[in-house]
Amino acid sequence: MAITDWPLEDRPREKLMSRGAQALSDAELLAIFLRVGVKGKTAVDLSRELLQTFGSLRQLFDADAQNFCATHGMGEAKYVQLQAVLEMSRRYLGEKMRRGDALTDPDAVRFYLTSKLRDYRFEVFACLFLDNRHRVIQYEELFRGTIDGASVHPREVVRRALHHNAAAIIFAHNHPSGVAEPSQADERITQKLKDALHLIDVRVLDHFVIGDQVVSFAERGLL
């Protein structure tokens, strides 16, 4: 049955307009992007098949051009469109983080940091420098490699905080394994950084660990 024959409340586009994008499943959102299916399959059917083939929405987005285009119903045009959508999303999140309004949406911070760090194949430690009204001054990736006392240098973080005249800071680093559970090394270096920044009156608001999920030190009571 064609999507146009479905009840209005079940059609992805109409559902989005009436209930918002958050009400749609991954397959329904992907179907809106695809617009059309293939012979014998609606766009929703094709979307479900793609998610099953690649394993998840993220893995579909992370697929290289060769694997993506080799999939039935896909091709270079769809790959280019998808990459453009992903880049627009990253730039949109980047604009939301630019200096202006105070940070009041924790989810926006999570999404922004996830878009920056999740796909690295090695660990990256980043800082989000904020002014005294919690407006973003600058995002910087400072260290790469295993996050421990040998690779993250409090003196450098202090130097960059002074350079930006920051009043507060949010840390973030990724776990390439996808497991976002903080390690003891993560906890130790966070405390060292917090102690060092306290000497120059810079407050540490949070430390996010980015994996398949996102863990907040503040929410865990680890700060």
Side-chain angles (χ1 to χ4, degrees), residues 1-219:
M1 182 186 296
I3 290 177
T4 52
D5 295 327
W6 293 7
L8 282 175
E9 64 272 16
D10 292 337
R11 301 178 193 176
R13 293 182 186 178
E14 286 76 5
K15 188 175 178 180
L16 186 150
M17 293 299 296
S18 64
R19 297 172 56 189
Q22 69 278 4
L24 275 64
S25 67
D26 289 351
E28 290 170 328
L29 288 169
L30 185 58
I32 290 176
F33 168 76
L34 295 176
R35 294 181 56 243
V36 296
V38 294
K39 186 175 181 180
K41 296 177 183 177
T42 67
V44 174
D45 293 332
L46 178 59
S47 297
R48 289 171 179 156
E49 186 176 282
L50 287 169
L51 292 174
Q52 185 175 11
T53 298
F54 285 93
S56 69
L57 198 59
R58 176 187 173 185
Q59 289 173 299
L60 172 63
F61 287 173
D62 289 344
D64 59 30
Q66 182 177 357
N67 288 328
F68 185 92
C69 296
T71 306
H72 180 59
M74 298 298 100
E76 187 174 289
K78 287 296 183 189
Y79 180 78
V80 169
Q81 289 174 356
L82 181 60
Q83 294 307 308
V85 168
L86 291 172
E87 184 57 29
M88 284 192 292
S89 298
R90 294 187 187 101
R91 296 185 187 189
Y92 164 74
L93 290 170
E95 286 184 19
K96 289 192 72 170
M97 292 296 104
R98 289 177 185 170
R99 189 165 188 162
D101 295 335
L103 292 181
T104 57
D105 185 354
D107 287 337
V109 179
R110 289 171 183 263
F111 291 151
Y112 175 72
L113 294 173
T114 298
S115 73
K116 287 288 190 179
L117 296 172
R118 186 180 63 185
D119 295 326
Y120 281 123
R121 299 185 183 277
F122 45 85
E123 289 194 21
V124 176
F125 184 93
C127 297
L128 199 59
F129 298 100
L130 312 172
D131 67 13
N132 58 6
R133 293 177 58 188
H134 294 177
R135 296 176 300 185
V136 175
I137 299 171
Q138 187 66 42
Y139 166 85
E140 288 188 2
E141 296 175 1
L142 296 183
F143 308 106
R144 297 188 173 195
T146 303
I147 302 305
D148 56 27
S151 62
V152 176
H153 307 291
R155 181 172 61 180
E156 179 64 14
V157 176
V158 168
R159 188 180 74 83
R160 297 308 297 165
L162 290 170
H163 171 80
H164 292 298
N165 194 29
I169 192 168
I170 294 173
F171 302 132
H173 79 277
N174 64 313
H175 282 179
S177 66
V179 179
E181 192 65 26
S183 67
Q184 290 185 348
D186 295 337
E187 294 183 30
R188 285 196 299 269
I189 192 59
T190 301
Q191 188 59 51
K192 286 183 180 180
L193 291 169
K194 184 179 177 181
D195 292 343
L197 290 162
H198 177 72
L199 297 175
I200 58 169
D201 294 323
V202 175
R203 289 175 295 117
V204 177
L205 301 183
D206 210 338
H207 184 167
F208 291 103
V209 183
I210 311 296
D212 291 335
Q213 297 178 324
V214 180
V215 172
S216 160
F217 270 53
E219 291 178 358

